[in-house]
Structures are given as structure tokens and as C-alpha cells.
Amino acid sequence: MTTSIAVGLGERSYEVRIGPGLLGQAGRHVAPFLRRPRAAVVTDETVARLHGQTLRAGLEADGISVDEIVLPPGEDQKGFAGLERLCDGLLALGLERRDVVIAFGGGVIGDLTGLAAGLLKRGMDFIQIPTTLLAQVDSSVGGKTAINASAGKNLIGLFHQPRLVLADIGVLDTLPARERRAGWAEVIKYGLIDDPAFVDWCGTRGAAAMAGDPGALQRAVEVSVAAKARIVAADEREEGVRALLNLGHTFGHAFEVSAGYGGGVLLHGEAVGCGMALAYRFSAAQGLCPPDEAARAVNAIAASGLETDPRRLPGGPWDIAALMAAIGQDKKNAGGALTFILTRGIGQAFIARDVDPGAVRAFLASELS
Ligand code: NAD
Ligand code: GLY
């Protein structure tokens, strides 16, 4: 069954439709957003091979002609060179400003295509059709688009909301187990932020979701999207509460920058999973969170198979100075002070401004020793 969750943003509001079989019916969902029966689909080689024909048939069934741009898979597409190639490719299709671009893939395709759409002709509409668990529960919703810089993750980008998100649970069947697990980090994140009951649910249904149970996956996507929609509607441009969605990301992004983008060495969700464990242990070390509560949170993250010990996280060994440099570039920082999402317990995340860099450095030294 398809469920629909609204992201309430006034004239930029849109729906996230979640359910099985949506690719095959895509034309019906997409057509109301088109000025003429034509759409440009941006995807990667893996998604094109596995699901491209189903989407094409679903669009063509409603008379929509499809131009496809197929990029190599991987995080290293999310740079200036990848953005330039994509913009040139979309312009070569002769699209008009009021045409619609469809981002069909994981978070890399969504972030890159959303940014290209936001820039081209000063802003074209786009639709997200996310195909990874991570993209369905997080990156396709909320309008953050970006490429990476050598100084840090997602540092060059725009807020540009999609017109529609179609999350077809069926496409997750082909997702490798490692990618599903990485996406699970962003699922459990919503519970850890402010919903302890959802952490319990993840504990009981996580194994089924990891094994590909469609009911468990659909529920996980629904709860996650509803949580994200609520936060984004309250704070679209991250002036305050939206920063909570960054739980685990300050440490996580630092690992990603240090590991180098691309090559699949360290996945974003893996970095976030370990980053959330560090956020809990750092909160405990600062006397903010009871140590047994931090240990329970870390166990909940580890239960899905995510690594919570940075010494064993792929991409190491880690250089503390490089991690600290990346942390210093974090977008949440303000007035020269470090900002972290810390926690008082499971479901009790909060924004901590003015975090002492010396304390972070000492904590990392103890974690990595
Ligand atoms: P990804 O887009 O690289 O996809 C992971 C891999 O899975 C790729 O190799 C892809 O080809 C493959 N794949 C995709 N769908 C598949 C399917 N159905 N079956 C088989 N293989 C499939 O990575 P991701 O984890 O989806 O996204 C990570 C990116 O998202 C990072 O760049 C991160 O910064 C970004 N992100 C953005 C936001 C946001 O709010 N904009 C939030 C979270 C993460
Ligand atoms: N993924 C964090 C956000 O959308 O704000």
C-alpha cells in the first residue's frame, strides 16, 4: 500500500509517497508536474542496469518521453567536475527552465542532480526517486543539495526542494547488504534524536529490515520520513532544530573527508553510525549523558552490524589533526566555536554550541589509542 507524507513548506510543500511498485506507475505520479510530456532522468550505471527499464516503462506508459543521463556510481561524482559534466549533459538535451529533472538513485545522484537543477537556468524543478535506504529515509527529503570540497563534505550547495519524492520500497530488494546497513544508521538516528520507542522498534524489527522484509522496510521509511518532514517543516534552512538531524555527522563527516571520497572505502552511513556512537561516548565523557545510557545507544547502533569503534572503521588509520581540521569546517560552527549534536540519553539529542576543541581532541586521542 502506498502511504503519503506531506512536507509542509508553504508554496514549496510536497509529498513523499512510499510503497511498493511505484516505479512502474511513475508516469501517473510525475505527469501532474510536467508542462510538456518529457522528463530528463539522471541516474547511475548500477541503478540504470537494475531498474532503469522499469522506470522508463512506467513513465512512457503515461506518454512521457525520457532522456536518460547515466553517471558512474560513487561519491567521487559529487565534485565540481561531476557537477560540470552533469550540467553540460542536461543543457545538451535542450531542456527548458520549466522542464523537470528526475534524480533516480542514491544520495549521490540526489544531491548532485538537485544541485544541478537548482543552478540550471536559475532553477529548474526536480523530482526525487530515491533507490537506496539512505536516500529514501534521509537525503531525498528536505531539499539539501550539494557537492563535496577537498575541505569537507557537502560544503558547496543549495537548499532546493523537490516537487515530489517517490520512494519505491521494491527497489531496495537489489540493494547490497552493506548499503542497507549503512542506510540503517540514518533510520536509527531518528529514534536516537527524540523517539526512544522507535529505537526499541529498530531493536525488534531491524534484523528483518536488514534481511529485506518489505513490511519492516516500509515502516522504517515511513517513520523516518515523518520525523524528517516534521523537523524540516519547522526549520527548512537549519537555523535551529534541523541541526539535530546532524547527530553523528560532525565526527562522521571528518572520517569521510579523511578517508577520501569515492572508492567505496567508507560509506556515508557507516561514518554516521560510528559518529553517533562517538557523540554518545563524548556526551558521557563530558558528564552530559549517563554512561550506561550511552552504552545502550552504542549497542543499539552496533546491533545492526554498524562499526562503533573508530579504530576498526574502514578508511583509517586516522590522523587526529586531519579530523580536527575537518571538524573545524563543519557547517554548524558559528562565531569560530565548534557546534556538535550531543545527547542526554536515548531520544534526548540537543545542539551544543561552543564545544571546547581541546576536549574533542583529547576525546579522539583516547578513542583512537
Ligand atoms: P550512493 O548514492 O553512492 O548509493 C550507494 C550505492 O548503491 C551506489 O553504488 C549505487 O549505484 C547503488 N545503488 C543505488 N540504488 C541501488 C539499488 N536499488 N540496488 C542496488 N544498488 C543500488 O550512496 P547513498 O548512501 O545513497 O547516499 C550517500 C550520499 O548521500 C552522501 O553523499 C551523503 O553526503 C548524501 N546525503 C545527503 C543528505 C541530504 O540531506 N541531502 C542526507 C544524507 C546523506
Ligand atoms: N541530513 C541532514 C538534513 O537533511 O538536515
Side-chain angles (χ1 to χ4, degrees):
M1 203 189 82
T2 302
T3 54
S4 176
I5 293 170
V7 184
L9 289 168
E11 62 182 12
R12 291 183 308 290
S13 296
Y14 53 96
E15 276 183 52
V16 183
R17 297 181 190 151
I18 304 163
L22 290 173
L23 287 193
Q25 309 158 12
R28 177 157 69 75
H29 294 276
V30 165
F33 298 93
L34 306 182
R35 301 284 169 113
R36 54 176 174 166
R38 176 178 181 192
V41 173
V42 181
T43 189
D44 73 27
E45 287 159 4
T46 308
V47 176
R49 178 169 49 76
L50 294 167
H51 301 290
Q53 188 45 40
T54 311
L55 178 61
R56 176 181 284 274
L59 292 167
E60 287 177 349
D62 279 70
I64 300 167
S65 73
V66 177
D67 288 302
E68 213 177 42
I69 294 186
V70 183
L71 306 176
E75 184 76 30
D76 41 3
Q77 290 303 307
K78 260 182 69 173
F80 272 117
L83 179 65
E84 185 178 13
R85 271 193 304 274
L86 176 55
C87 288
D88 284 344
L90 287 167
L91 289 171
L93 295 177
L95 298 175
E96 298 172 357
R97 189 163 71 85
R98 293 180 182 281
D99 285 328
V100 171
V101 181
I102 296 178
F104 179 44
V108 166
I109 290 293
D111 281 13
L112 184 63
T113 306
L115 179 56
L119 293 170
L120 281 177
K121 308 208 168 176
R122 300 206 177 91
M124 295 178 64
D125 283 346
F126 84 117
I127 286 173
Q128 291 266 20
I129 305 189
T131 63
T132 62
L133 180 59
L134 184 139
Q136 293 193 353
V137 301
D138 190 357
S139 62
S140 64
V141 181
K144 280 188 180 175
T145 74
I147 55 173
N148 301 320
S150 48
K153 279 275 294 178
N154 297 334
L155 292 183
I156 300 154
L158 294 171
F159 286 97
H160 184 48
Q161 300 292 343
R163 299 296 310 281
L164 172 73
V165 181
L166 284 184
D168 183 338
I169 297 299
V171 299
L172 303 179
D173 282 353
T174 56
L175 200 61
R178 183 181 174 204
E179 296 288 351
R180 221 178 269 160
R181 202 163 44 239
W184 197 252
E186 303 278 16
V187 172
I188 197 166
K189 177 186 80 177
Y190 295 107
L192 294 172
I193 290 172
D194 65 0
D195 186 354
F198 187 53
V199 177
D200 293 341
W201 182 89
C202 289
T204 49
R205 296 293 283 151
M210 288 304 104
D213 179 286
L217 284 168
Q218 174 142 350
R219 180 86 188 124
V221 176
E222 287 169 353
V223 174
S224 301
V225 168
K228 181 149 188 185
R230 183 172 40 78
I231 291 176
V232 168
D235 178 20
E236 181 183 10
R237 296 179 71 86
E238 199 167 311
E239 308 292 339
V241 68
R242 183 165 179 172
L244 294 174
L245 295 172
N246 260 270
L247 177 63
H249 285 59
T250 316
F251 289 121
H253 282 165
F255 290 124
E256 284 186 272
V257 179
S258 293
Y261 308 124
V265 176
L266 175 64
L267 303 183
H268 175 72
E270 293 170 339
V272 168
C274 191
M276 290 192 296
L278 291 185
Y280 268 90
R281 289 202 289 270
F282 183 60
S283 300
Q286 295 296 295
L288 299 165
C289 174
D292 59 335
E293 185 81 350
R296 272 205 320 123
V298 172
N299 287 340
I301 298 162
S304 56
L306 288 160
E307 183 57 68
T308 56
D309 181 341
R311 292 168 303 185
R312 290 199 293 267
L313 194 65
W318 308 107
D319 174 57
I320 293 177
L323 294 174
M324 289 302 297
I327 287 169
Q329 286 281 0
D330 191 276
K331 293 186 290 306
K332 294 184 292 303
N333 296 337
L338 296 184
T339 299
F340 273 73
I341 308 307
L342 298 180
T343 177
R344 298 191 176 87
I346 291 178
Q348 297 180 64
F350 67 96
I351 302 167
R353 306 201 190 276
D354 214 3
V355 173
D356 174 15
V360 177
R361 185 186 298 272
F363 170 73
L364 283 173
S366 77
E367 284 281 328
L368 295 171
S369 64

